[in-house]
Amino acid sequence: MEMEEHLCRIFVLCLLAAQRSGAEVTQDNTNPGSDTSYFFYQDQSYPRDCEDIQDQCSTKNATGAQVIQPDGYDVPFWVFCSGDWTVIQRRSDSLIDFSRGWDEYRDGFGFINANHWLGNTKVAHLTNQKTYELRIDIETESGLTGFISYSSFRIIDEFSDYSIVSVGRSNDTLESVVTWCPTNTIPGSCNRCIATCADPSGTMDCSNDCGDLQQTCICPLNYLMDMTNCIRQEDCGCYKEGHGVIADGVSYMAADCSERCSCSSGVLTCVSQSCARDATCKEVNGVRTCSCNEGFAGDGLTCPSIRINRDCYDIMRYVSTESGVYSITPSGGAGGPFNVNCNMTIDGGGWTVIQRRVLIPSRQDFNQDWDTYKSGFGSYSRGFWIGNEHIHHLTNQGDYELRIDMVNQDHSAYYAKYDLFRYNAESDKYKMSGLGSFTGTARYNALRNQHNEYFSTPDRDYDDYSYYHWADYLDSGWWYGDHYYYYYYYDYYYCDLNRMRYDDDVGYWYNPSGSNYLIFTEMKIRQRQTD
């Protein structure tokens, strides 16, 4: 598709009446040789074209600026005559800009003696008075000349967008001057980086080495090379509406990352998707993608956390504000991460639930031994204890507050809150070593008597009371002491949220104005706020 010459130094379109005076004509509108005017104005004082001028001045050459008035045109106007040819366009340099709008092409522009476009309305009146021959003269940058002519050229009016309705047969001398560009191609600058359906940007394996060749035939705007043909980009196999053609082996992401498309061997595949909860749709290194947020790693569709979240308060700050089960790793905790239930709704959220009990027929049995209380047991729906070892590591990585939510047999709901909660390691029998100030809607600070007591289970008696093993008697794991007998039998100012001795409750909390017996309990801890 290489062109020997492409840049025309002189490019002239001329019209000549195809039938001369005295020539035989036929009045057949379907015959491109008909000399019948398409306008019904025959009486006029001006020549209709340059051929009329030449016929009137048979002894001289009519070349130059002349005045004509075609049939049906309101006023006479100037044209450039080249002998008996009427010049409708001339370009010999770039001084006149031919990038014009519709109105200027309709009315004409430029200078009659130099570069110009006569005007579509004038050309329409000219070519509809009789049959005209069109001749295009070309001179290349190196001085080669040639022409091509068409036997019957006619355009129609503005109402029909000045469409060409006839060109007739062609004759030319351009074969030695130019090589015509194939269909859908245009002359352009040589560039080995050819945009194709497989490489719409034209950047793959591009050498930009054109050698001595400066011009070639290229695909016009919105066309791409497919094998040896230029086709519309919409006809490429990997065309995506609203985006364009996707290069072979390349992926495209929708602006909101809701769809990913890829092209392979000319076949487009699109898949709907959504970014992970912990990812953001954004551009990374010029490519739009789902990108995991800080503290997470993955492909953007899944983003597991790489941040060490110590508790549910960290989860709320860095991961999610929705209640649910999450993995945490307390500082100094043995055995790696473990799952906890996080409450993100009560009292600002960020609470790590360490105990939960509900009075239901299938409630969890809390009559467990030391090792079971140490590691934890149960489920969220039936009740659970998170495990003493976990609670120890949680409450010793900083200052933690404790909140206990309760519902008694009167169906009254209330809570107790302590601004500090901590207990020691197994070597110190999980002693409740820290219990802060009490607030809340519970009427009595019933947990205060457990402060500085050791934890006991039915198989481990650490209550320091020689006559009773309270954990075994109450089927519970809890903080009992040598004074528990008095609280239990005389003033009742105590609490036990894990006892299993009685079937009609899941715990006891002294309440001076209502039932002491509970049908729901939930203990939870949170990093203490410093603001």
Side-chain angles (χ1 to χ4, degrees), residues 2-14:
E2 297 175 353
M3 298 180 63
E4 298 175 14
E5 297 287 349
H6 83 290
L7 182 61
C8 301
R9 190 171 65 199
I10 299 176
F11 187 79
V12 182
L13 278 71
C14 302

Side-chain angles (χ1 to χ4, degrees), residues 12 35 91 97 142 164 241 272 275 295 351 378 388 413 418 441 454 459 469:
V12 182
D35 195 34
R91 293 186 74 181
D97 185 8
S142 60
I164 296 176
E241 183 71 31
S272 297
C275 295
W351 293 96
N388 285 335
Y418 299 86
T441 56
Y454 299 116
D459 62 330
H469 178 188

Side-chain angles (χ1 to χ4, degrees), residues 204-225:
M204 299 179 183
D205 301 322
C206 176
S207 66
N208 280 322
D209 181 13
C210 295
D212 296 331
L213 185 64
Q214 297 302 313
Q215 301 296 325
T216 187
C217 295
I218 64 172
C219 296
L221 183 66
N222 297 325
Y223 279 71
L224 296 172
M225 187 64 71

